[in-house]
Amino acid sequence: MELSKRIRGLTGGGSDGWDVFYRARAMKVAGEPVVELTIGEHDIRTAPAILDAMQAAARGGHTGYAIVPGVTELRQAVAARVQARTGVPTSMDNVLITPGGQAGLFAAHHAACDEGDRALFIDPYYATYPGTIRGVGAVPVPVEARPRDGFQPQAAAIDAVAEDASCLMINTPNNPTGVVYTRETLEGVAEICQRRDLWLISDEVYDTQVWEGDHVSPRALPGMADRTLVVGSMSKSHAMTGSRVGWVIGPEEAIAHLITLATHTTYGVPGYIQDAAVFALGQGEALEEEVAAPFRRRRDAARALIARQNVAKLVPSGGAMYLMLDMRATGLSGEEFANRLLDEERIAVMPGESFGQAAAGHIRVAMTVADAEFEAALGRVLGFAARLVG
């Protein structure tokens, strides 16, 4: 029996971008002392009080089928949070709760794309983006955000490929670069979306991790609320990666249809996990700041270390839990550098090429180990680069 072309073609016939990560994990299983600076997984765990709330909800009986759109209390809490942060009127009817942000991205593209539609996304990109687009039967079209522009997407580059496209996906604060898109950048994006009649899918899962500048949700820009689908998540903001609580914010009609999609796919999120999410959101910004604080510290420490050498160049790190380092001075590709770093130093980072071609020659460093271990590991990365240059 032959599998479907769609399922066989999710990665476009090539690597899924995670080769170095898989190799590092295999080395750790074999007992190698590898320092992992790869995926966006907090080194702290979900707060015990959130787990207590989860357990209380489960023991209290909220273990059956939960209502598919999400429990009322959580949809209301998410709506209130979004309205307070953006100023855009938002009700529970604008909210669908999803099993994590990834499911939200998949659902949003189902809402925006028909079979064969061209779906734009910014390169560099989170590694699942092209496969998510292929998974809904659309055609992924990357739009390069160039290093010389500080990885800020340029309106002209988007406009050049926007004809006959159905949607554009952006991500700010950005994974993998750590760049926060400026208001000017987003206004340019908004103008194109309105003129070209595009849906905008805005991945905002890092909205609580902003170190410089301000996070602007494009849904708050004039004329954008009715054509923007915002994807959010508890994973990064509340260290709840394994709980799989995300959402899509959008126009009521779009959310109504996405609820129908959820009925036929995920059938919702477990009720006791949603109750824990309600509790977590109820802790307000204090908990979000506590979760974000280690990454701010490590980013500041990294900037000081990087300033002492002249081989690796730091991409403007305005937000998120990652650093993007330009390693082109070593003469190696990002993939070559990452593989040699793993073999020779037992440190695992992600090659820029895992996130598209715009970041070729770069590496992404996740700031996801304890402060002292992170500073020591980054020092070794920089020392390794210096030795390559000689």
Side-chain angles (χ1 to χ4, degrees):
M1 295 297 294
E2 189 169 279
L3 295 169
S4 72
K5 292 180 181 178
R6 183 177 298 183
I7 198 71
R8 287 185 285 119
L10 286 179
T11 64
S15 166
D16 64 0
W18 296 100
D19 296 348
V20 174
F21 168 71
Y22 294 141
R23 199 160 71 84
R25 281 291 167 94
M27 291 169 70
K28 289 191 74 171
V29 169
E32 296 279 356
V34 174
V35 180
E36 279 198 69
L37 305 176
T38 50
I39 61 173
E41 180 76 81
H42 308 68
D43 52 308
I44 62 171
R45 301 292 89 183
T46 304
I50 298 174
L51 299 179
D52 290 343
M54 192 180 297
Q55 182 184 50
R59 291 191 176 278
H62 205 178
T63 55
Y65 291 121
I67 185 170
V68 171
V71 299
T72 296
E73 294 82 2
L74 182 54
R75 294 173 77 196
Q76 289 176 334
V78 170
R81 178 183 188 269
V82 168
Q83 182 168 314
R85 286 173 174 268
T86 66
V88 182
T90 307
S91 76
M92 64 174 282
D93 293 327
N94 298 115
V95 180
L96 167 67
I97 303 302
T98 63
Q102 182 60 50
L105 293 170
F106 188 66
H109 279 89
H110 266 292
C113 299
D114 284 318
E115 185 83 19
D117 278 357
R118 297 169 69 250
L120 313 182
F121 63 103
I122 304 301
D123 175 356
Y125 51 83
Y126 178 54
T128 68
Y129 283 0
T132 299
I133 292 168
R134 295 187 189 102
V136 305
V139 179
V141 179
V143 182
E144 184 178 6
R146 300 168 298 189
R148 67 174 178 266
D149 297 320
F151 290 109
Q152 295 280 338
Q154 300 299 295
I158 298 170
D159 196 45
V161 294
E163 187 172 356
D164 297 327
S166 62
C167 64
L168 167 66
M169 175 165 50
I170 64 171
N171 168 219
T172 181
N174 183 257
N175 174 16
T177 65
V179 169
V180 175
Y181 293 173
T182 65
R183 178 175 290 274
E184 180 183 9
T185 292
L186 294 172
E187 287 173 345
V189 166
E191 189 277 329
I192 292 168
C193 287
Q194 293 176 67
R195 177 164 49 83
R196 293 288 194 176
D197 196 24
L198 302 178
W199 279 99
L200 181 63
I201 298 171
S202 181
D203 180 348
E204 301 181 23
V205 300
Y206 294 97
D207 67 346
T208 61
Q209 298 180 6
V210 179
W211 323 131
E212 288 185 2
D214 297 305
H215 170 65
V216 177
S217 176
R219 181 170 173 260
L221 297 177
M224 291 303 293
D226 289 337
R227 64 171 64 249
T228 303
L229 299 169
V230 176
V231 175
S233 170
M234 304 287 289
S235 291
K236 309 304 182 181
S237 59
H238 292 79
M240 294 177 67
T241 50
S243 297
R244 312 311 303 138
V245 182
W247 52 78
V248 180
I249 309 291
E252 291 184 12
E253 181 183 6
I255 296 300
H257 286 292
L258 287 178
I259 290 169
T260 301
L261 175 67
T263 301
H264 291 83
T265 52
T266 65
Y267 213 75
V269 176
Y272 60 92
I273 293 179
Q274 293 192 61
D275 289 345
V278 172
F279 172 85
L281 289 175
Q283 306 310 296
E285 292 184 359
L287 178 57
E288 296 176 358
E289 291 172 358
E290 180 181 340
V291 172
F295 306 117
R296 182 188 293 274
R297 286 198 310 269
R298 293 164 196 166
R299 177 259 195 183
D300 291 345
R303 291 179 71 185
L305 281 172
I306 293 165
R308 298 172 193 159
Q309 53 82 61
N310 57 10
V311 177
K313 296 179 181 178
L314 177 63
V315 171
S317 53
M321 56 174 66
Y322 314 103
L323 303 173
M324 181 68 83
L325 297 179
D326 183 346
M327 310 305 294
R328 288 176 290 181
T330 66
L332 301 181
S333 70
E335 189 170 357
E336 290 168 339
F337 185 92
N339 276 297
R340 285 192 58 178
L341 182 70
L342 180 59
D343 289 334
E344 299 177 36
E345 291 289 334
R346 296 299 190 263
I347 297 173
V349 299
M350 295 294 286
E353 291 86 351
S354 290
F355 310 103
Q357 287 308 301
H362 294 63
I363 60 172
R364 190 193 74 172
V365 180
M367 300 183 287
T368 49
V369 296
D371 293 17
E373 184 180 9
F374 173 72
E375 291 185 45
L378 181 59
R380 289 168 57 197
V381 172
L382 298 175
F384 178 71
R387 292 194 298 276
L388 290 174
V389 173

